[in-house]
Amino acid sequence: MVLSGLALFVPVTLCVQGSYAWGNLGHQTIGFIAQEFLAPNALSFVQTTLGSMYNFSLGPAATWADMVKSESEFTWSKNLHFVDAEDDPPTSCSVEEIRDCASQICVLAAIANYTTRVVDPTLDAEQIQEALKFIDHFIGDIGQPLHVEAVAAGGNDIDALCDGSKTNLHAAWDTGMLTKNVDAVHGGTSEQYAADLVVQIKNGSFSSLTSNWLSCTSITEPVDNRRAFSSGPSIETDIRSLFAARDAETITPLECPLIWARESNAFDCSTVFNFEPEVDPELCTGSYFTNAIPVVDLQIAKQGFRLAAWLNVLFDGSPMLP
Ligand SMILES: *[C@@H]1O[C@H](CO)[C@@H](O)[C@H](O)[C@H]1NC(C)=O
Ligand SMILES: *[C@@H]1O[C@H](CO)[C@@H](O)[C@H](O)[C@H]1NC(C)=O
Ligand SMILES: *[C@@H]1O[C@H](CO)[C@@H](O)[C@H](O)[C@H]1NC(C)=O
Ligand SMILES: [Zn+2]
């Protein structure tokens, strides 16, 4: 099954089902970026676990979680793709674990759950593969600003236009603007888009930012005092504390995903809701589009890089990234 071929159908599928996070194109790009940065043990685990069905890669496997949401067997998983931040953009943006994920049914708790499950020796091969595919997908989802936002069902209820076609704010961020930009300047495929962003990460405009991407520190939010005793939040401390607490009854969302969700949610105030649908509903041209594309590129590059770091810490003991 050549899943990457589905990228061609993204606009059609996702305009109908606007509640998906990043469309297939965005998710596959995040997976392909991560694949480039995997350390030896993580790469070997990914290849063995995903197998030929996914071409041994996090790229094609990244869309599985969206595809199964509509199957009755996986209906329960549909609320794991987001966290409904009860904030007030563009005036005030925030994500709070207790306020927004009290039920533990949200993307923050899901990342913690599947991080413990992907290395749980008591699970069978299918469950391990499922855990990896959920991590692959959810670390992407939290980078989409409208997947960390409750207002108007994450923007799904705000009508808009993309190049004159009817859409909504959420769908334009998932696919409309992204697809237009990838078609225009990245060869129209997730593989090429990923390759272009990898160049920016290794030796371009993103290369000076990557250590900050991994630190899980936030310049806008005070660090949660849960980690006050440690040397500061990092992917390593996060994952270590998760396994230290793995016998606990409830799953505690981790600090790095929370900080990443806050970073993403901050774009709701700075960029996403900077829009007056009654005055100008068009999102895919003009200044709205010009301001949005750098955010989309940044968020996709960042989450791909972070996905690799996450798996490298789990399987190789450290992020092992530039
Ligand atoms: C599978 O991955 C390899 C690189 O690892 C790539 O060259 C090839 O085109 C991919 N095949 C498909 C069907 O995507
Ligand atoms: C953890 O994942 C398993 C398997 O998908 C699921 O059955 C369980 O409900 C999840 N737990 C939480 C707290 O999300
Ligand atoms: C990095 O970019 C510079 C200039 O942009 C170029 O001269 C250099 O060859 C590049 N290095 C690599 C490893 O691609
Ligand atoms: Zn999703």
Side-chain angles (χ1 to χ4, degrees):
M1 182 160 50
V2 184
L3 292 173
S4 51
L6 290 173
L8 297 171
F9 301 107
V10 163
V12 177
T13 322
L14 294 175
C15 286
V16 177
Q17 311 200 19
S19 64
Y20 286 8
W22 302 125
N24 291 353
L25 180 58
H27 275 293
Q28 286 171 357
T29 303
I30 289 166
F32 282 126
I33 291 169
Q35 190 80 9
E36 275 300 303
F37 291 102
L38 292 177
N41 294 339
L43 177 61
S44 157
F45 176 81
V46 162
Q47 290 176 330
T48 308
T49 304
L50 296 177
S52 59
M53 184 179 180
Y54 296 101
N55 198 21
F56 309 97
S57 168
L58 295 167
T63 58
W64 171 86
D66 270 341
M67 292 191 292
V68 298
K69 273 194 305 199
S70 55
E71 294 174 12
S72 56
E73 193 191 338
F74 284 97
T75 310
W76 58 270
S77 70
K78 69 180 198 300
N79 292 331
L80 302 181
H81 292 245
F82 54 84
V83 53
D84 266 341
E86 300 286 347
D87 57 354
D88 186 23
T91 310
S92 134
C93 276
S94 60
V95 182
E96 296 301 336
E97 206 176 295
I98 305 299
R99 181 192 66 191
D100 304 325
C101 191
S103 64
Q104 298 274 299
I105 309 289
C106 86
V107 68
L108 302 172
I111 290 171
N113 189 24
Y114 293 106
T115 300
T116 60
R117 290 177 66 86
V118 80
V119 293
D120 185 338
T122 68
L123 300 182
D124 66 28
E126 192 185 342
Q127 291 170 311
I128 300 275
Q129 191 198 67
E130 183 183 290
L132 180 60
K133 290 184 290 188
F134 274 132
I135 294 170
D136 187 2
H137 185 88
F138 292 149
I139 289 185
D141 273 349
I142 57 168
Q144 211 280 37
L146 287 167
H147 263 244
V148 290
E149 185 52 67
V151 166
N156 274 294
D157 298 341
I158 299 175
D159 291 339
L161 297 175
C162 180
D163 279 330
S165 297
K166 280 191 182 170
T167 184
N168 64 65
L169 185 61
H170 188 108
W173 277 85
D174 273 351
T175 56
M177 295 189 297
L178 174 57
T179 303
K180 178 175 177 174
N181 185 55
V182 170
D183 284 347
V185 298
H186 299 291
T189 66
S190 53
E191 287 89 341
Q192 187 58 48
Y193 185 30
D196 292 346
L197 292 176
V198 165
V199 169
Q200 293 307 303
I201 291 170
K202 286 187 173 165
N203 188 29
S205 57
F206 293 146
S207 63
S208 61
L209 307 175
T210 54
S211 62
N212 196 38
W213 291 353
L214 296 186
S215 72
C216 308
T217 53
S218 164
I219 51 168
T220 56
E221 296 286 345
V223 170
D224 188 302
N225 61 15
R226 191 171 359 124
R227 226 50 105 238
F229 53 84
S230 77
S231 57
S234 75
I235 294 170
E236 285 118 308
T237 48
D238 236 4
I239 287 179
R240 234 179 275 128
S241 71
L242 178 69
F243 290 102
R246 69 183 305 169
D247 296 326
E249 282 287 292
T250 58
I251 291 169
T252 307
L254 301 168
E255 187 150 347
C256 294
L258 179 61
I259 286 167
W260 300 342
R262 286 172 175 166
E263 216 176 83
S264 174
N265 163 273
F267 287 114
D268 289 322
C269 282
S270 67
T271 312
V272 178
F273 285 87
N274 198 351
F275 157 65
E276 291 179 273
E278 324 72 45
V279 179
D280 180 9
E282 178 57 53
L283 301 175
C284 292
T285 57
S287 62
Y288 191 89
F289 185 73
T290 316
N291 291 333
I293 291 305
V295 175
V296 171
D297 285 349
L298 174 70
Q299 290 301 94
I300 286 184
K302 225 196 259 180
Q303 295 312 113
F305 195 73
R306 285 167 168 171
L307 172 57
W310 198 258
L311 296 174
N312 292 349
V313 168
L314 269 175
F315 296 101
D316 296 79
S318 75
M320 295 185 58
L321 289 167

